[in-house]
mmCIF file of all heavy atoms in Angstrom:
data_model
loop_
_atom_site.group_PDB
_atom_site.id
_atom_site.type_symbol
_atom_site.label_atom_id
_atom_site.label_comp_id
_atom_site.label_asym_id
_atom_site.label_seq_id
_atom_site.Cartn_x
_atom_site.Cartn_y
_atom_site.Cartn_z
ATOM 1 N N GLY Q 651 77.572 100.741 170.296
ATOM 2 C CA GLY Q 651 76.404 101.350 171.064
ATOM 3 C C GLY Q 651 76.914 102.489 171.920
ATOM 4 O O GLY Q 651 78.097 102.565 172.207
ATOM 5 N N ALA Q 652 75.993 103.362 172.392
ATOM 6 C CA ALA Q 652 76.368 104.445 173.261
ATOM 7 C C ALA Q 652 75.213 104.779 174.340
ATOM 8 O O ALA Q 652 75.236 105.804 174.796
ATOM 9 C CB ALA Q 652 76.613 105.716 172.413
ATOM 10 N N GLY Q 653 74.381 103.765 174.565
ATOM 11 C CA GLY Q 653 73.338 103.965 175.571
ATOM 12 C C GLY Q 653 73.937 103.538 176.964
ATOM 13 O O GLY Q 653 75.184 103.453 177.164
ATOM 14 N N GLY Q 654 73.055 103.178 177.886
ATOM 15 C CA GLY Q 654 73.363 102.825 179.278
ATOM 16 C C GLY Q 654 74.264 101.579 179.288
ATOM 17 O O GLY Q 654 75.256 101.467 180.084
ATOM 18 N N ALA Q 655 73.901 100.548 178.463
ATOM 19 C CA ALA Q 655 74.635 99.276 178.422
ATOM 20 C C ALA Q 655 76.115 99.527 177.949
ATOM 21 O O ALA Q 655 77.024 99.010 178.531
ATOM 22 C CB ALA Q 655 73.922 98.265 177.553
ATOM 23 N N ALA Q 656 76.187 100.463 176.940
ATOM 24 C CA ALA Q 656 77.564 100.755 176.419
ATOM 25 C C ALA Q 656 78.394 101.512 177.531
ATOM 26 O O ALA Q 656 79.609 101.236 177.602
ATOM 27 C CB ALA Q 656 77.455 101.556 175.207
ATOM 28 N N ASN Q 674 78.995 104.001 167.178
ATOM 29 C CA ASN Q 674 77.579 104.095 167.365
ATOM 30 C C ASN Q 674 76.917 104.760 166.157
ATOM 31 O O ASN Q 674 77.480 105.562 165.475
ATOM 32 C CB ASN Q 674 77.282 105.012 168.600
ATOM 33 C CG ASN Q 674 75.850 104.817 169.049
ATOM 34 O OD1 ASN Q 674 75.314 103.699 169.088
ATOM 35 N ND2 ASN Q 674 75.183 105.997 169.338
ATOM 36 N N ARG Q 675 75.672 104.337 165.824
ATOM 37 C CA ARG Q 675 74.934 104.903 164.761
ATOM 38 C C ARG Q 675 74.920 106.408 164.807
ATOM 39 O O ARG Q 675 75.190 107.113 163.898
ATOM 40 C CB ARG Q 675 73.411 104.306 164.790
ATOM 41 C CG ARG Q 675 72.580 104.954 163.729
ATOM 42 C CD ARG Q 675 71.188 104.286 163.894
ATOM 43 N NE ARG Q 675 70.565 104.495 165.120
ATOM 44 C CZ ARG Q 675 69.394 104.059 165.447
ATOM 45 N NH1 ARG Q 675 68.724 103.269 164.612
ATOM 46 N NH2 ARG Q 675 68.820 104.278 166.616
ATOM 47 N N THR Q 676 74.554 106.955 166.024
ATOM 48 C CA THR Q 676 74.639 108.381 166.244
ATOM 49 C C THR Q 676 75.972 108.756 166.897
ATOM 50 O O THR Q 676 76.148 108.602 168.109
ATOM 51 C CB THR Q 676 73.434 108.794 167.128
ATOM 52 O OG1 THR Q 676 72.254 108.200 166.631
ATOM 53 C CG2 THR Q 676 73.270 110.283 167.113
ATOM 54 N N ARG Q 679 76.302 110.911 170.091
ATOM 55 C CA ARG Q 679 76.041 110.211 171.340
ATOM 56 C C ARG Q 679 77.258 109.455 171.882
ATOM 57 O O ARG Q 679 77.469 109.456 173.093
ATOM 58 C CB ARG Q 679 74.933 109.263 171.204
ATOM 59 C CG ARG Q 679 73.818 109.301 172.098
ATOM 60 C CD ARG Q 679 72.755 108.357 171.968
ATOM 61 N NE ARG Q 679 72.250 107.890 173.204
ATOM 62 C CZ ARG Q 679 71.539 106.808 173.434
ATOM 63 N NH1 ARG Q 679 71.292 106.023 172.450
ATOM 64 N NH2 ARG Q 679 71.100 106.492 174.651
ATOM 65 N N CYS Q 715 76.526 96.394 172.442
ATOM 66 C CA CYS Q 715 75.711 97.011 173.501
ATOM 67 C C CYS Q 715 74.528 97.717 172.848
ATOM 68 O O CYS Q 715 73.972 98.602 173.454
ATOM 69 C CB CYS Q 715 76.569 97.992 174.302
ATOM 70 S SG CYS Q 715 77.955 97.263 175.080
ATOM 71 N N THR Q 716 74.223 97.422 171.635
ATOM 72 C CA THR Q 716 73.067 98.028 170.932
ATOM 73 C C THR Q 716 71.926 97.018 171.117
ATOM 74 O O THR Q 716 72.172 95.840 171.539
ATOM 75 C CB THR Q 716 73.265 98.233 169.452
ATOM 76 O OG1 THR Q 716 73.224 96.996 168.798
ATOM 77 C CG2 THR Q 716 74.525 98.952 169.123
ATOM 78 N N SER Q 717 70.740 97.410 170.780
ATOM 79 C CA SER Q 717 69.600 96.583 170.859
ATOM 80 C C SER Q 717 69.363 95.725 169.581
ATOM 81 O O SER Q 717 68.315 95.126 169.383
ATOM 82 C CB SER Q 717 68.366 97.366 171.216
ATOM 83 O OG SER Q 717 68.249 98.523 170.418
ATOM 84 N N VAL Q 718 70.274 95.931 168.625
ATOM 85 C CA VAL Q 718 70.134 95.337 167.346
ATOM 86 C C VAL Q 718 70.261 93.782 167.394
ATOM 87 O O VAL Q 718 71.260 93.329 167.908
ATOM 88 C CB VAL Q 718 71.160 95.896 166.299
ATOM 89 C CG1 VAL Q 718 70.943 95.266 164.894
ATOM 90 C CG2 VAL Q 718 71.058 97.386 166.216
HETATM 91 P P1 ATR X 1883 70.409 100.916 176.762
HETATM 92 O O1 ATR X 1883 70.370 101.934 177.806
HETATM 93 O O2 ATR X 1883 69.843 99.616 177.034
HETATM 94 O O3 ATR X 1883 71.870 100.748 176.210
HETATM 95 P P2 ATR X 1883 69.534 102.779 174.695
HETATM 96 O O4 ATR X 1883 70.063 103.942 175.417
HETATM 97 O O5 ATR X 1883 68.245 102.887 174.037
HETATM 98 O O6 ATR X 1883 69.577 101.466 175.533
HETATM 99 O O7 ATR X 1883 70.666 102.495 173.520
HETATM 100 C C1 ATR X 1883 70.470 101.623 172.478
HETATM 101 C C2 ATR X 1883 71.666 101.586 171.610
HETATM 102 O O8 ATR X 1883 71.338 100.813 170.444
HETATM 103 C C3 ATR X 1883 72.119 102.938 171.045
HETATM 104 O O9 ATR X 1883 73.482 102.839 170.895
HETATM 105 C C4 ATR X 1883 71.413 102.958 169.720
HETATM 106 O O10 ATR X 1883 72.030 103.815 168.734
HETATM 107 P P3 ATR X 1883 71.705 105.395 168.739
HETATM 108 O O11 ATR X 1883 72.470 105.993 169.860
HETATM 109 O O12 ATR X 1883 72.166 105.823 167.396
HETATM 110 O O13 ATR X 1883 70.203 105.481 168.911
HETATM 111 C C5 ATR X 1883 71.542 101.527 169.263
HETATM 112 N N1 ATR X 1883 70.598 101.085 168.235
HETATM 113 C C6 ATR X 1883 69.288 100.921 168.504
HETATM 114 N N2 ATR X 1883 68.663 100.546 167.325
HETATM 115 C C7 ATR X 1883 69.635 100.577 166.364
HETATM 116 C C8 ATR X 1883 69.738 100.267 164.883
HETATM 117 N N3 ATR X 1883 68.625 99.852 164.308
HETATM 118 N N4 ATR X 1883 70.921 100.364 164.328
HETATM 119 C C9 ATR X 1883 72.032 100.791 164.949
HETATM 120 N N5 ATR X 1883 72.055 101.086 166.301
HETATM 121 C C10 ATR X 1883 70.910 101.006 166.980
#
Side-chain angles (χ1 to χ4, degrees):
N674 193 47
R675 176 178 60 182
T676 313
R679 228 182 145 198
C715 305
T716 75
S717 48
V718 183

